[in-house]
Amino acid sequence: MPVDQGATSHGRVFFILRDLGSYTVIVEAAGYKAAQKDVSLTVAMKSEVEVSLQRDSSSGDTAGVPSKPLLAPPQSSLWV
């Protein structure tokens, strides 16, 4: 179940989570393959997740990314 999502032009998004637990972060950007990371939060603290995207050669987009990256979680989101 999605918890939150955010868009960025500088590559960073922050979320404030209400509950501890396991989360999946999905990062999508036009011209790139989607990537995801699973994270488990067992204590309340600031946590950072780094995700690197790879260009999607099948998209035919060689001029760069035409829109802002979008970070949207499937189960939950994380950048706290």
Side-chain angles (χ1 to χ4, degrees):
M1 169 189 329
V3 171
D4 203 352
Q5 70 178 22
T8 178
S9 61
H10 301 292
R12 297 194 104 172
V13 174
F14 299 90
F15 297 103
I16 297 175
L17 302 173
R18 296 181 189 158
D19 299 311
L20 299 176
S22 296
Y23 294 86
T24 299
V25 177
I26 294 181
V27 181
E28 297 174 328
Y32 291 85
K33 295 178 183 178
Q36 78 176 45
K37 292 245 177 143
D38 294 324
V39 179
S40 180
L41 293 175
T42 57
V43 295
M45 61 181 268
K46 181 178 179 180
S47 179
E48 186 170 318
V49 176
E50 184 174 322
V51 179
S52 298
L53 299 181
Q54 296 180 349
R55 277 211 179 270
D56 185 358
S57 58
S58 66
S59 72
D61 181 12
T62 58
V65 179
S67 64
K68 295 180 180 181
L70 171 69
L71 289 109
Q75 297 174 331
S76 303
S77 82
L78 176 65
W79 273 85
V80 279

